[in-house]
Amino acid sequence: MERTLNMVQAINDALRTEMRRDPRVVVLGEDVGKVGGVFRVTQGLYEEFGEDRVVDTPLSEGGIIGAAIGMALYGLVPVPEIQFADFIFPGYDQIVSELAKIRWRSGGEYAAKVVIRTPVGGGIRGGLYHSQSPESLFIHVAGLKVVCPSNPYDAKGLLLASIRDPDPVLFFEPKRVYRAAKGEVPEEDYVVELGRAKVVRAAQGAGKAVTVVAWGAMLYEALAAAEQVKKDKGIECDVIDLRTLWPVDVETITESVKKTGRLVVVHEAPRTCGFGAELVSLVCERALMHLEAPPVRVTGFDTPFPYALEMEYLPLAHRIAPEIVKTAEF
Amino acid sequence: MQERTNDGPPLTQPSGQIDHLAALYRQMFLIRRVEEESARAYALGKIGGFLHLYIGQEAVGVGAVAALRPDDYVITTYRDHGMALAKGMSARALMAELYGKATGCSKGLGGSMHLFDVEHNMLGGYGIVGGHIPLAAGVAFASKYRSDGRVTLCFFGEGAVSIGGFHEGLSLAALWKLPIVFVCENNEYAMGTPLSRTMSVEDVSMKALGYGIDRDRFFVDDVLEVEKRMAEAVSRARELSLPTLVEVRTYRFRGHSMSDPAKYRTPAELEDHKKRDPLTRARALLEQNGYGAERLAKLEAEVEAEVQDAVKFAEESPEPDPSLLAKTTYDGPFAA
């Protein structure tokens, strides 16, 4: 049966589904139990599954992630929540030094099946401690998978796939659309396979076209920009929702770029060494001779995330559309 | 909750002390009114994001800063409005920062948790819980290194006590015998979770034992009592270059932030605490000790005017210029 849920409800539904199915799954984090999480993602889980499986922790990100790794080594399936992605750095050492490397350095004897859920990105005027998009800091660490859904259907299916994946996953939840993104979500158990992007808008006709790659909250901005350039200039876009950032579905992007010859990548994180740089490289390695214009990145700025000027800092449609036009008219 | 151990002393102050209490009351009242106005502006959408109010805890910041010299350092958490005002920041600079205006203390780019004032040695609010505690040790190290006689006051909540930064900061301060006072403002809730669910030992001051440093612990009812108790620790830092961990038991009357309705506690609990509001107590002491209704009314009218002026200033100030984003952090407008 289908129902309309928002992202918060869909993620809650995924956690509930998996906790009912698999008694090894435990949730831990700050305020996740009795309070139900600051964004209410874990609401009701404490009541249904009890304090042994929905564990309130102190403010201790290194402790939360370290303990989760230990749980995973001996057969549990922990899904820790870090209250904001900006708070993950006290636990970064555990993620980089231990979580990402356990399988490799134990020669496959041990795996750390941990899914770290955390809200990410700007758009709530949260300032620099509550707005960052640190995905490339994790993608760069070999051994981690990184996921960022844009809508409730994918959020449920990707989270279930992440929890069932044998390896560690960073599951970034775009908080700007936590409640704004609504959609049909089946009550049944289903997965959205990791590592598969989705073409959510396809270029029509034989005119000039541009491939636009985005994920999370910025997908909606990319779609709005695509609509605008079609209306204003008749430019068509393939808009690709990456969904899984790593391992990345480079084939889907390359296939599109081979048709359009043009690439625009959108992300909230600062430009330098952002994931856009990697995507451009990957495409150039595979489709350089197909390019009609230099690939473009529309990103945050190389500054900390500002409190004022947020709508300038974010790569919203008003910043994306002119770049699509420039690329098309290059 | 534990038994309260210090139901504050009556005010038997020598003459002159009444004016001192009036000055402290003025600061507390200013903080209360600035924050009430900021909550109103938040409800109107003029202030965005996160706003962590200090309402109920004013006596901690005001009493503690009263025990300092003006050139001493203060470093605190994201709940920093009260501390910034107590340390001397103008209500205008604070309110403009909350509004995200170019005239704010951090040019509008930081917001509520980023109140810096170099003139008053206010070293800012910090939003990553416990992250600033090792920094505070570094500040105190610098004072000791330069023999400048300054003391660093480092504030944090009881939620910070479980994170590594707290232990690393205390460890270094104890090892290096630094002139610092660590002040744990224990307001009983780490966001929405009561301390009984996050701490195995409720008495935070006991953490001092493991590091071999002095400790103190008391309930905050009276701003003068806060000043007196903090003065002992400040003196230990200044005269002997030794750190102290002070746990003050306090209570916030509002939620963790403006988006928190604080449903995790009962109305009765909140009302019980409001009956012991240190602000009300300070005002009553002034009345009882002959400060005079007229002077009190004048003081409060002055504060009111200052608050309204700050709001008007923030409303009318310009937004920061988008060109601030064009350059990188290091070759931009704030480059050295």
Side-chain angles (χ1 to χ4, degrees):
Chain A
M1 211 179 100
E2 302 228 327
R3 315 142 290 172
T4 300
L5 299 184
N6 63 31
M7 292 272 272
V8 167
Q9 293 164 328
I11 296 163
N12 180 279
D13 189 34
L15 289 169
R16 194 183 300 273
T17 300
E18 197 61 359
M19 290 182 83
R20 283 177 182 166
R21 196 187 72 92
D22 184 349
R24 300 173 304 161
V25 176
V26 296
V27 164
L28 66 159
E30 297 156 11
D31 295 301
V32 299
K34 282 194 164 177
V35 173
V38 290
F39 290 100
R40 303 294 179 263
V41 173
T42 55
Q43 198 149 42
L45 300 182
Y46 179 89
E47 288 73 14
E48 179 169 348
F49 300 104
E51 63 182 2
D52 291 341
R53 295 187 67 194
V54 185
V55 185
D56 276 323
T57 68
L59 278 66
S60 177
E61 286 79 8
I64 293 166
I65 294 169
I69 297 169
M71 294 175 186
L73 291 179
Y74 286 95
L76 298 186
V77 182
V79 186
E81 172 181 298
I82 299 298
Q83 203 159 68
F84 286 84
D86 313 74
F87 302 171
I88 207 167
F89 300 107
Y92 193 59
D93 172 46
Q94 293 291 346
I95 297 171
V96 173
S97 306
E98 313 301 343
L99 183 62
K101 295 177 172 60
I102 286 286
R103 180 186 288 285
W104 173 272
R105 74 187 188 88
S106 69
E109 293 283 308
Y110 283 93
K113 189 174 158 62
V114 177
V115 179
I116 301 172
R117 292 183 36 251
T118 187
V120 73
I124 61 163
R125 292 185 76 189
L128 59 85
Y129 286 129
H130 295 81
S131 303
Q132 296 169 89
S133 296
E135 65 274 358
S136 62
L137 296 176
F138 296 92
I139 295 168
H140 186 67
V141 178
L144 301 174
K145 294 180 180 176
V146 180
V147 173
C148 185
S150 68
N151 62 73
Y153 180 90
D154 285 352
K156 178 175 177 179
L158 285 167
L159 184 53
L160 286 171
S162 297
I163 298 173
R164 291 168 196 176
D165 193 271
D167 281 307
V169 177
L170 270 287
F171 194 85
F172 288 122
E173 300 168 1
K175 58 179 163 307
R176 188 170 192 247
V177 294
Y178 248 155
R179 292 176 190 280
K182 298 190 174 81
E184 296 294 308
V185 177
E187 262 179 44
E188 303 78 75
D189 184 337
Y190 65 93
V191 296
V192 172
E193 194 186 345
L194 300 187
R196 292 275 174 269
K198 187 176 180 188
V199 180
V200 292
R201 179 187 172 111
Q204 308 294 323
K208 279 190 177 175
V210 178
T211 301
V212 183
V213 177
W215 57 89
M218 289 306 104
L219 178 75
Y220 300 96
E221 300 299 323
L223 285 168
E227 187 60 30
Q228 196 188 323
V229 298
K230 180 183 172 78
K231 205 172 75 185
D232 295 350
K233 301 272 184 179
I235 298 167
E236 290 285 340
C237 292
D238 271 359
V239 179
I240 298 174
D241 181 357
L242 224 40
R243 307 198 291 189
T244 299
L245 308 189
W246 202 261
V248 66
D249 183 0
V250 68
E251 290 75 21
T252 295
I253 306 171
T254 308
E255 197 181 309
S256 170
V257 171
K258 282 182 177 171
K259 282 191 306 186
T260 64
R262 297 171 180 86
L263 174 64
V264 172
V265 181
V266 180
H267 62 67
E268 295 185 33
R271 169 177 306 241
T272 302
C273 290
F275 191 44
E278 184 65 31
L279 292 174
V280 168
S281 283
L282 289 169
V283 169
C284 286
E285 284 163 4
R286 287 162 178 77
L288 186 67
M289 304 315 284
H290 292 82
L291 288 174
E292 304 283 348
V296 168
R297 291 173 284 165
V298 189
T299 66
F301 291 80
D302 285 344
T303 70
F305 199 105
Y307 169 55
L309 304 175
E310 182 170 43
M311 294 301 139
E312 293 302 316
Y313 186 92
L314 289 171
L316 303 182
H318 72 272
R319 286 181 50 209
I320 302 169
E323 297 297 331
I324 295 175
V325 173
K326 265 194 267 176
T327 304
E329 294 178 350
F330 179 80
Chain B
M1 205 182 107
Q2 290 196 343
E3 280 299 299
R4 301 173 68 80
T5 53
N6 61 320
D7 255 341
L11 182 68
T12 51
Q13 299 292 340
S15 65
Q17 282 296 308
I18 187 102
D19 288 333
H20 179 60
L21 176 61
L24 298 187
Y25 171 70
R26 190 189 192 287
Q27 286 188 21
M28 290 163 66
F29 186 60
L30 175 67
I31 295 167
R32 177 75 53 101
R33 288 293 302 121
V34 162
E35 290 209 312
E36 285 171 350
E37 286 305 306
S38 65
R40 222 156 67 116
Y42 188 93
L44 295 171
K46 292 175 176 176
I47 295 172
F50 296 88
L51 192 70
H52 304 90
L53 299 180
Y54 200 51
I55 290 175
Q57 300 181 217
E58 298 95 335
V60 180
V62 169
V65 172
L68 294 180
R69 291 193 331 214
D71 64 342
D72 286 332
Y73 296 107
V74 165
I75 181 167
T76 189
T77 69
Y78 47 85
R79 201 178 301 285
D80 58 350
H81 309 159
M83 215 61 76
L85 288 171
K87 200 69 178 75
M89 178 180 289
S90 74
R92 280 185 163 202
L94 187 155
M95 195 62 87
E97 188 61 31
L98 300 186
Y99 271 67
K101 298 297 184 75
T103 52
C105 62
S106 299
K107 317 288 186 288
L109 297 175
S112 159
M113 306 178 216
H114 309 264
L115 303 180
F116 292 85
D117 185 351
V118 69
E119 184 192 336
H120 295 101
N121 283 346
M122 170 69 194
L123 296 176
Y126 290 77
I128 302 300
V129 170
H132 65 299
I133 300 174
L135 273 63
V139 173
F141 182 97
S143 279
K144 187 173 184 181
Y145 186 84
R146 293 191 308 244
S147 303
D148 63 13
R150 293 175 186 169
V151 171
T152 298
L153 233 56
C154 173
F155 294 87
F156 47 88
E158 82 283 357
V161 169
S162 299
I163 210 159
F166 167 82
H167 296 276
E168 294 175 21
L170 256 68
S171 165
L172 292 174
L175 179 68
W176 294 337
K177 296 186 167 45
L178 299 179
I180 187 167
V181 183
F182 297 103
V183 187
C184 176
E185 293 189 75
N186 184 344
N187 63 17
E188 302 187 21
Y189 291 89
M191 195 159 293
T193 303
L195 60 89
S196 60
R197 289 184 61 76
T198 60
M199 293 174 82
S200 55
V201 177
E202 246 191 57
D203 182 341
V204 170
S205 75
M206 283 178 65
K207 308 289 183 200
L209 300 175
Y211 297 104
I213 64 174
D214 284 296
R215 65 185 175 126
D216 194 5
R217 180 171 198 255
F218 57 94
F219 285 84
V220 173
D221 290 313
D222 183 281
V223 66
L224 291 170
E225 171 76 6
V226 176
E227 180 184 8
K228 191 175 126 227
R229 300 286 280 263
M230 293 302 303
E232 290 174 27
V234 169
S235 164
R236 187 176 297 120
R238 199 176 327 272
E239 309 306 329
L240 305 173
S241 194
L242 289 173
T244 307
L245 173 61
V246 181
E247 177 190 7
V248 295
R249 288 293 296 255
T250 181
Y251 198 81
R252 60 171 152 76
F253 294 169
R254 301 296 187 99
H256 166 74
S257 73
M258 286 299 289
S259 53
D260 169 22
K263 286 185 178 153
Y264 40 79
R265 59 190 187 191
T266 63
E269 178 185 315
L270 178 60
E271 283 315 307
D272 187 43
H273 279 279
K274 280 188 173 173
K275 280 185 205 140
R276 293 196 298 268
D277 184 353
L279 182 77
T280 313
R281 181 191 175 92
R283 193 179 197 282
L285 279 177
L286 285 171
E287 282 176 332
Q288 287 158 22
N289 288 272
Y291 186 72
E294 207 170 301
R295 285 169 79 197
L296 201 49
K298 183 164 172 286
L299 179 154
E300 288 172 348
E302 275 173 20
V303 167
E304 200 53 47
E306 193 176 335
V307 173
Q308 295 311 324
D309 169 73
V311 171
K312 187 164 182 286
F313 177 76
E315 299 260 357
E316 292 173 357
S317 288
E319 307 267 344
D321 195 284
S323 66
L324 286 175
L325 299 175
K327 296 199 168 184
T328 68
T329 304
Y330 295 106
D331 66 2
F334 310 131

